[in-house]
Amino acid sequence: MAPSFHTSKCFRCFSCLCCCYRHQSSGSIASSPEISFLDDDYETEEEDDILDELSWCSKDRIYHALTHFIVNKVRGLNEETLPRYLEFIQTTFPLDNPHWEKFEQEARTCISAGPRLKISSMVINTDHDKLKRKHLRADVYFTQTPTIRIRTEFQENDVFMIFDQPGYLHTPGFSDPVLRIDVLKASKKGNNSEKVVMSADIKLSEIVFNQPVYVQLEERNLSVLNSSIHSSDPSRSHILITGCLEDDHDHPNQTIPHILNQILVETANQIVDLELIQRRGRPSDSFFPDYFSVEVSREDKSNSPGSWRYFKQDFQEKRIASRSEHAAVDCILTDRIEFRTSETVTSSSHLPTTSRYRKLTKSEGSTSLPVLEISQFKPKTVALDSCRWNVELQPHSTKMFDVDELGRIYREILTKETSSTWDGTMSNSTSTILSILEQFTRPKPAKSYISLRRLSLAAPSPEPLTVPQTIALAYLDAYNKHGFSQKFLRDHVEVLSHSKHYTRKTVKTFISASLERIRNLRSYTREELKYVVEHLSVLAPLEDIRAEVARALDVQAQEVFQLWWRELRDSESVPSLQENTSSQDELAVISRLLNEYVFPNLEKGSEEYVGVFTPVALSFRDIVGEEFINLATKLIIKHIWSRVQLSDFLSNRIHTLDIVDEENEYFQQAYNCYSSLRRLCTVVDSTSNLPAHVFRDHSEAWLSIGIHKAKIHLKRMVYQQTRTRPETDPKKMPGTNWKSAENLKEDDHDDQLAVFLDISESCWKLWEDLTYPDQDKELECCILLIDGLKSLENLFVDEREKIFHGYKILDVEETVKFVRLLDSLKERYKIAGEKLNILQEKLDKGKMDENISHKIGEAFPKLNEMKRLLDDEIEGRMLSYASGHHDRIQGCIEESRVNRLISEESVLGFLDTEMSKIHKHFINNTPEDKLDICRQYSRKLSLLLWNQFEKQLTDHFERKKKRNVEKNKPARFDFLKAGMEDIVQCKTIAVQNEIIEETSLDKLSLMREELKILTMTTGDLISNILRMKEEAEDNEMKEDVEAILTGARGGSGGPTINFNLGYIRVEDVEKVALEIRSITNLRKLDRDKINIEFRSTFFPPRQGEVINVSEKKMYTVNKSSWVFDTSENEKTLDRLVFIYTVDEADLSVCEDCYVCIDLFDKPHQLKPATFLAEAVFQVCKYGTVLPDIPEFRSLDEFYSHSYSSQKKMSKEFIRMSKSPSFNQIRERKDDLAKSFVKWQKRD
């Protein structure tokens, strides 16, 4: 009976299901299947010898190691070196806090109670002249501990100074230390300073019990006396010292290590019973005492010596090591042993070459000095310059452990220290004990025998275990017993990696337990599983362990799949499935199983365990997913229709299928299962076509049903818009949530249209992906699909106006979505055409059925027509989207208070935002092969939106121009002019950056030029025309001069004048004077003489708002050239000069000022004058005088000015009258414009 689960909240929880299954199922999860590649016959027998309890000898060795390890070899423990020693112990051999506090307290007590030297009295005798009547005192200390001193009080020196009971000094802990007495003199300056003037050294062994000892004092820091001054005999300065050594207690060199030994023994006793061993009392050295040595050997063949030494606080001890030497260690106050090398020093003098030792420093290329850490007891290679040494710190004892014995001890300790919740750390004291025991272990030699069973099986002999491998096996054994986290075994498993130790019983058990964790992977964290897989990958051959891990994943996938299937069938949400349950009900459960259980958990597991199984070259997604697919495939095949049932349905009942029939429901559930299985296969293997093979005989029915559903949705859209019921009542359509027309939301249209297009596309995709029994069947399905979708498209086009009647335009996202859907359908048609060509080529034309051949011939025009309809629909959707923004664009263009063309929330900003959205929605999440077509659609839609804006802008401009003709008001164009540059620039950038399709800028450029003219005042327009006239005259003059110089031609026939132009300032009155001195190239037209009239006009008008001729002068001439300024008798004639007063009032009207000279031929007073030519002179620019026009202080000075210029008079007004500026002036109705037009008529 399958277990029953009714807790719906837990159906997605993988771990809960695994736990329920393990407790209620009688399966094999709890058991450990045999590992195929680990044969029991090859299991080593070494671990069968492990005893339940340690032997008495092993315990004795433990006790011996804890009481004889290297910290006992200490010398020089005193008040000064104790902190360094405690630091060394705390760093190298750490203890638990209670143990450490006890050790530190007792160590400090031992130091204070240790042996000390009592100095009973000191008598200092000196009659040195420099010290007589001086205040002296003494400092007494051992040279090894200079900071610990006896300091006496100052006394006045009267040859003898007696110091009674100076005090005590603790011995420094070295053999026969040196006691130093310094005599100090107080300074005369009274600043409490002092200096040593005499000192004496005496060895501790020379101080006899309370017997005075005579010591000679040596002078220090005393200047040499002048030869004329008598000096006392220096030998008469001495000291008598009396004292004794109080040796009531052992020295800290012995007691403090003994305290540490006892603490470690007590800690070990709690794990390994050492009580019987302890009864022997304090350990004593045997006949062969223990010692430690540093073994040094050179890698190279050089014979140059080197050295190693300890570094202590105030002193050092050096041991010279040759190429191979054991140098005993007898003083440990640091964990650093420094190595040095010798170097050859060549003297620059005649002395011979010498060798000396030097220390390698950082500046010589090394980050630190090579050192050997005494706590590790591992070989190490150190390099100094060109020398390379192999160094190792080794213990020497008669009670050393072998490898197996150390393994048993480790197992004993780890078994008691670890548990299932072990956090990977042991107490400091236990770690120190294990470290000490490891130091007293010698490598195990390989066994010299092989069992008969091994010989009979021809098995390879096991590799001998090293100390690290033995320790690693002990940790694995502890794991096998307690099952703690494997992350604490990483370093130990690495020691056993890539070796043959996987055949040992401990390792085999460990591998089995690790595989069991993989079978129950949902019960463990990702981190834990990662360590499990990594350890398996290095402990056994990769190919073998890879297969076992894959099998474990398959087992857990099978168990969970069956559990989900039973739970879903028994849940309340699924009707009870009896033996006569229909196939569609079973398929519905399978579909739900795949969608709600398998797929989500596979996705979650693939994400959670990504990279976990990489060490064994496996993927969780591939292994578990393939097993899920196999299980699901077996279930589906069991419940789908057979080929006979499908053939009967397609032959007899397909045409009478009702949407509510059970048969239609079956195909729907079969399609759901196909989609679910395909979804699962795609995740596991994107190239898999397994679902198509499983459902290969369902293709024709699915295509027919898909087309039928698309028709239903299309009819629904028509019905909802026309508010009339279609032939098929939507209420009777399965899956339709029919709403009344009054409650219809606009979003429903989008959904329905998207569903319709989706179904059409899915039909094509289904036809592409499925396989068929033969090519004839594939061709029939293709033609069936083309006919069905062609009728659908025709129906959609016919009913389009009804569907979108009164429908608001879509936003960017919806527009892009529909365009992409329509383009996808268009692409399907293209693929279908290619497929038809391929099928037509493959089929034998001679044997092809005539009906099929006829259908193929009809299919190609249908496909082309369908593509054309889709193109039209895409174009229509894009135009509809662009025109939908008409009101917003128009509001921005016509805004009169703020320039919405360029200001905040401008129309350009809106267009930029919309185009960004268009590009984003077309490009994002687009496959690489679709990027080009999506970019084309993006540029096209953006161009249509821009064209909509440009058309509205152009229409608005034309309306403005029409209004301006009625009433001239240049200000009405200010907004357009201000924004036109930005508009042109935006379009230019959009074209250059391929945001919109390539298009012309001519219309906008023309509008920009028109706006420049429309926004100019009449005065500015006139000034612009006059400026162009002057430039044309100057250019014509330059061309004539160049032609004359080059001899190309004799110059044009127009008149040329010599003139003088200048400013005259008289009493702060600024005038401008123009004198025409002569004229040439006059045309008499076959007359003896002509009457020429010069008319002068000043612009801008100085009075009023109209332009008038200021002055006229007429001359009668009988030659083509004429001079106006002098006569033959040098009497002044009437000069041809025009003078105008220029003041601020004139400049305020217009920034530019001009003097215009018009030349007329007036043959008779009663006849109209004929215009000959004109000349324009600019006399003021931007409200200031021109720098190239000279200034004069009087009119006489101006007349006497000999320099004159030439200017060509022309008829440029004919060309200028056709310019846009002149046309604009002609259209304007103000007085200034009218007077200018009248003036230019030359009447």
Side-chain angles (χ1 to χ4, degrees), residues 43 52 94 147 166 168 209 233 252 379 509 515 564 613 725 763 821 826 838 958 1025 1032 1107 1150 1196 1207 1212 1219 1242:
E43 179 183 328
D52 294 335
T147 60
Y168 298 87
F209 183 76
D233 185 4
T509 305
L515 292 173
W564 286 336
F613 297 94
R725 291 183 181 274
C763 290
L821 281 172
K826 189 172 118 178
I838 295 174
E958 294 297 329
I1025 293 173
I1107 301 174
C1150 181
D1196 293 337
K1207 189 175 185 68
E1212 271 301 313
S1219 66
R1242 312 300 184 183

Side-chain angles (χ1 to χ4, degrees), residues 880-905:
S880 181
Y881 160 76
S883 61
H885 298 294
H886 177 277
D887 295 342
R888 179 163 185 173
I889 294 173
Q890 197 68 27
C892 293
I893 294 174
E894 295 180 350
E895 178 65 49
S896 60
R897 293 170 296 178
V898 182
N899 190 352
R900 293 285 297 280
L901 294 176
I902 56 176
S903 62
E904 293 183 3
E905 299 182 0

Side-chain angles (χ1 to χ4, degrees), residues 1141-1155:
T1141 301
V1142 182
D1143 54 18
E1144 295 181 358
D1146 297 326
L1147 300 181
S1148 64
V1149 177
C1150 181
E1151 292 182 346
D1152 297 345
C1153 298
Y1154 297 87
V1155 175

Side-chain angles (χ1 to χ4, degrees), residues 185-193:
K185 180 178 76 71
S187 175
K188 296 179 181 179
K189 298 179 181 180
N191 56 0
N192 295 327
S193 62

Side-chain angles (χ1 to χ4, degrees), residues 382-430:
V382 298
L384 295 174
D385 294 342
S386 60
C387 303
R388 293 179 62 85
W389 293 350
N390 291 327
V391 297
E392 183 178 3
L393 183 63
Q394 292 186 346
H396 299 268
S397 175
T398 58
K399 296 184 178 181
M400 299 285 285
F401 298 100
D402 59 21
V403 173
D404 288 343
E405 193 173 15
L406 179 66
R408 288 195 294 270
I409 295 172
Y410 254 91
R411 285 182 174 84
E412 182 78 15
I413 294 176
L414 289 175
T415 300
K416 296 182 179 180
E417 282 285 318
T418 60
S419 63
S420 60
T421 59
W422 185 48
D423 61 355
T425 60
M426 290 187 290
S427 64
N428 289 335
S429 299
T430 304

Side-chain angles (χ1 to χ4, degrees), residues 5 10 71 501 673 703-704 787 802 898-899 987 991 1083 1121 1136 1154 1195:
F5 302 99
C10 198
V71 294
H501 296 299
C673 280
L703 291 173
S704 300
D787 291 338
K802 295 179 182 179
V898 182
N899 190 352
K987 186 173 183 179
V991 172
R1083 294 184 180 182
S1121 299
L1136 183 53
Y1154 297 87
L1195 190 59

Side-chain angles (χ1 to χ4, degrees), residues 860-876:
F860 286 107
K862 291 179 182 178
L863 286 174
N864 294 331
E865 178 66 16
M866 293 161 74
K867 286 190 287 185
R868 187 190 63 78
L869 290 175
L870 286 176
D871 286 334
D872 294 342
E873 183 63 23
I874 291 173
E875 183 78 16

